[in-house]
Amino acid sequence: MTDCKKIADLIFPDVTKTPEYYEEKYPKRELPEGARVTRFAPSPTGYLHFGGLYAAFASKFTAASTNGVFLLRIEDTDKKREIEDGVSCIVSGLSAFGIEPDEGVTGFDSEKGEYGPYIQSKRRDIYRAFAKKLVEEGKAYPCFCTAEDLEKIRESQESEDIKGYYGKYARCRDLTDEEITEKINSGAPFTVRLRSEGDITRKITFDDLIKGKIEMSENVNDVVILKTDGIPTYHFAHVVDDHLMRTTHVVRGDEWIASVPLHIELFKALGFRPVKYAHIAPLMKEENGGKRKLSKRKDPEANVTYYIEKGYPKESVQEYILTILNSNFEDWRRANKTESVSKFPFNFKKMSVSGALFDLVKLNDVSKNVISLMNAEQVYGYVTAWAKEYDGELYSLLTSNPAKAKAILNIDRENPKPRKDIACWSEVRTYLSYFYNEIYSPDISFPENIQPENAVLILEKYKELYSENDTKDEWFAKIRELCTECGYTPNVKEYKANPGAFKGHVGDVTSVIRVAVTSRVNSPDLYYIMKILGKDEVGSRINTAIDCLIRGLPRH
Ligand code: GLU
């Protein structure tokens, strides 16, 4: 007759606290009816993947929309795979995109909340108390198999459908108390394994909030719950954590679906109420007419630092993530143009079952729209903060004359139809380069439909009539006159009705001036550009353009 209590005391001489102690220490949360407690539980083994950010948003939104709690837990039971600044990468990566957990890890060696520690390496005693309980109840046992023993088992299982430590392969499952005592006293290393009660012919079903009803075979494996160093495996640790942190909903990647039967068995063995699951399919990318997973190895944009370095504002990334997170988000946005994303009624049922499509082009469109709705002051704040880190020259240009920079950024902004030129802050340098001679390199090439001699004519006349103090209406009246004087029509419709009668229309005339002043065929409002550049600079650019044109003219 096995004396489980005795074996448990032998395995866990260090354990002083009981599961009841922890149950009391981490009581049921007092939250409103229906509130969800979710967590993001990454391992600090590499940079934060965009898919991780996406899952974290789903967790955060579901908690926020039910007045629940979203917490950040660090799962660092695998010390071999950990990277040095892994925790900071995760915390700063989330925070850069506006995810501040309500509870949990807040930085390297700092955390907030009553249900901690929130980093698994600091919870060793807790896991051991619960593992001890399982051994006491005969639901777990020590296993002395060495790596070589396990290798032999694996080799002998080639023809088996199920691999692992179970049935006749589970050699330590039925050791006698004497055998166990002797091995432990002799200092033999051991793991602790779950004594699975699963039966391969039986099924478990669970309702996944994203994927619907899922039916799977029960777990039969006596999986390791504590490794030889006494540290728990992920499977065991996360079950204990999710219970004690009073998590209600586990939102995670669908690579974990295969482990759900084991996780449900662990919840039951420990006497815990299982959590609800929402398994997220990986983000997909279109390639060569097909689809593949967004890959850490192949896609630089899989790493969230990509967005930080390029300077995508957090508002854009949030907006984009919601676009791919819930299929009805864009409809909601059209109906609620200025509402904060936090008001969006997030719903797991509106998530893609097979994997949302990730698309940088779409992100850029979303971001251009988001940035177009910001005011110049906000844009200035964001750009300078980004440039300080990533583009020192731009930073000095903008901050040496903030009023000028804000005036530039204010062109065609704060009106019902703002321009959508900028997708991220690293595009700003090019966007406004012609305002700063330090970074402007003129490249004057006029549209092909404009004869050089006509361009010279337009520019010569424009030079005479341009006055810095004109109002926009006065300026435009002069442009119309200029059209007529040079053989162009100020009226596009008139031109279209009778193209043979004119050299071109007002658009061609402004195009010539625009190219001369900015080297661009497309720019924001030319009137305001010239106001900011000032009379002297406009004059000098027009002279340079005339020179270029004359040098390029055929000799007579
Ligand atoms: N630490 C696990 C991972 O990084 C988390 C799985 C879970 O959320 O339960 O994949």
Side-chain angles (χ1 to χ4, degrees), residues 39 41-43 73 75 234 238 242 250-253 255-256:
R39 83 306 191 270
S43 304
R73 181 171 76 225
E75 302 204 324
Y234 155 72
H238 98 282
D242 281 333
V250 164
V251 183
R252 62 183 177 188
E255 69 274 20
W256 294 108

Side-chain angles (χ1 to χ4, degrees), residues 315-505:
E315 291 84 347
S316 298
V317 175
Q318 288 180 355
E319 186 87 5
Y320 177 64
I321 286 187
L322 274 170
T323 308
I324 54 172
L325 206 48
N326 263 195
S327 52
N328 57 333
F329 177 73
E330 288 181 272
D331 287 341
W332 178 85
R333 175 49 87 209
R334 271 186 286 275
N336 301 277
K337 286 211 165 54
T338 52
E339 199 66 89
S340 148
V341 284
S342 64
K343 295 278 167 14
F344 174 68
F346 170 81
N347 186 347
F348 284 117
K349 293 273 172 289
K350 303 277 183 198
M351 283 184 74
S352 164
V353 173
S354 57
L357 199 60
F358 173 88
D359 176 9
L360 271 181
V361 176
K362 176 80 180 174
L363 165 67
N364 283 333
D365 285 349
V366 167
S367 189
K368 281 179 182 173
N369 195 45
V370 167
I371 292 176
S372 78
L373 299 173
M374 293 179 180
N375 64 33
E377 197 67 40
Q378 268 175 299
V379 174
Y380 177 80
Y382 271 133
V383 182
T384 49
W386 174 86
K388 191 170 185 187
E389 186 88 1
Y390 297 100
D391 186 344
E393 188 182 25
L394 181 67
Y395 178 75
S396 345
L397 289 173
L398 298 180
T399 53
S400 65
N401 185 348
K404 174 179 171 182
K406 287 177 200 171
I408 295 169
L409 296 169
N410 198 37
I411 304 178
D412 290 339
R413 203 169 273 287
E414 289 193 68
N415 65 34
K417 277 196 150 225
R419 280 179 68 97
K420 299 178 182 177
D421 294 302
I422 305 168
C424 56
W425 309 129
S426 52
E427 292 178 0
V428 169
R429 166 183 271 265
T430 309
Y431 172 74
L432 49 59
S433 62
Y434 54 84
F435 285 101
Y436 295 95
N437 284 337
E438 295 87 337
I439 57 170
Y440 174 53
S441 41
D443 171 17
I444 301 177
S445 38
F446 291 94
E448 277 179 7
N449 63 331
I450 294 167
Q451 297 293 315
E453 47 274 25
N454 287 327
V456 173
L457 182 70
I458 291 168
L459 291 174
E460 290 286 8
K461 286 195 181 294
Y462 182 68
K463 224 166 57 169
E464 284 161 28
L465 63 80
Y466 179 65
S467 161
E468 198 174 24
N469 299 322
D470 286 343
T471 63
K472 192 164 180 191
D473 287 344
E474 286 164 350
W475 174 76
F476 200 61
K478 285 183 176 176
I479 294 282
R480 294 163 72 89
E481 268 171 42
L482 176 66
C483 288
T484 318
E485 282 178 33
C486 297
Y488 290 74
T489 166
N491 186 330
V492 181
K493 268 198 203 135
E494 188 177 34
Y495 176 76
K496 285 197 175 142
N498 196 1
F502 308 96
K503 291 180 186 167
H505 60 73

Side-chain angles (χ1 to χ4, degrees), residues 91 98 119-120 160 166 233 236 258 325 356 374:
V91 173
I119 183 153
Q120 288 184 331
E160 292 279 9
Y166 67 97
T233 54
F236 185 63
L325 206 48
M374 293 179 180

